[in-house]
Amino acid sequence: MGSNVELNHIRTCFADNKRKKQQLGWKIRKSLLNVVNGKVPPCGMDWQNVYKVYAPFMLTKYKHWVAVMIDLVLCEIKVYDSKVSLIPDDIVKEELAPLSITLPNLLNTIDFYEEGVYANNCSRDWWCPWPIERVDVQQQSNE
């Protein structure tokens, strides 16, 4: 579930708020709320009904695609990269930092962790930036 377009919305929202130097009361775009509420894409699901969200993500500096898993219960982001030798971990974390910071603000806007299945169920302080970790997966070989 999800797409790079949606994650790019999150990245843009982060950049907009960073430029405005807003730390509290982030302005969340309606397009993002539509993703979380399951209205976009048309076949989407309300995030209140899922535990994990999977999406492709382009690391723009390197034009390299990875898959990300957003864990709504553990409040963390896992990165699946089949060619880890291309990009150091610190660059991956830097590229995904907007997602790590904006997601908690987005979910807070809709009281995500205060109602429904996730009420008081997050394993960490969900409002802090979420940790980003690469998952050990089978690596590509050009041989």
Side-chain angles (χ1 to χ4, degrees), residues 44-111:
M45 289 182 65
D46 183 330
W47 285 18
Q48 288 284 0
N49 297 312
V50 298
Y51 295 105
K52 296 176 181 177
V53 176
Y54 293 88
F57 190 88
M58 180 184 274
L59 303 171
T60 54
K61 288 182 182 178
Y62 290 84
K63 297 192 183 334
H64 176 67
W65 288 94
V66 297
V68 296
M69 185 266 298
I70 301 165
D71 191 316
L72 299 170
V73 176
L74 298 177
C75 301
E76 63 186 15
I77 300 166
K78 300 284 188 180
V79 181
Y80 296 83
D81 185 356
S82 64
K83 197 77 170 166
V84 296
S85 62
L86 289 179
I87 305 170
D89 283 349
D90 58 330
I91 300 296
V92 170
K93 289 179 180 183
E94 177 185 312
E95 291 255 349
L96 285 165
L99 183 63
S100 167
I101 295 167
T102 303
L103 266 175
N105 288 283
L106 170 64
L107 297 174
N108 181 51
T109 298
I110 61 167
D111 296 325

